[in-house]
Amino acid sequence: GWGPLRDVLSGASEMSFELPASVSEVVHAVAAAFPQAESWLLRDGALVPVVYRAGDRLTAADLVRAGDRLDLVVAVSGGSA
């Protein structure tokens, strides 16, 4: 499995956006397109996932440009010893 966020996004792995746009704008747009994913993407308007481009961690203000591939990593806790 690819994790709970991908499951909530119904397997969507590609989306189109007006670019350039900030990481924050892109994540907010994904949350708007997939309301069921909002709790995995935003908490009190702040980004939940850590976002990477080509292995580099991005901030909410970093710009996303055409052709960029982003990886959204959501920490999941739980389980028992």
Side-chain angles (χ1 to χ4, degrees), residues 1-70:
W2 291 93
L5 181 58
R6 184 164 184 154
D7 292 343
V8 172
L9 293 176
S10 303
S13 61
E14 293 187 17
M15 293 186 71
S16 297
F17 302 94
E18 288 288 326
L19 300 174
S22 71
V23 169
S24 179
E25 291 169 324
V26 169
V27 173
H28 277 83
V30 173
F34 295 91
Q36 69 276 22
E38 185 171 359
S39 66
W40 289 99
L41 298 170
L42 302 170
R43 185 161 297 122
D44 297 326
L47 303 186
V48 171
V50 177
V51 181
Y52 292 89
R53 174 181 50 219
D56 294 326
R57 186 173 179 169
L58 302 177
T59 69
D62 284 328
L63 289 181
V64 177
R65 294 183 172 80
D68 282 352
R69 177 186 168 137
L70 303 181

Side-chain angles (χ1 to χ4, degrees), residues 40 48-50 73-77:
W40 289 99
V48 171
V50 177
V73 179
V74 179
V76 177
S77 63

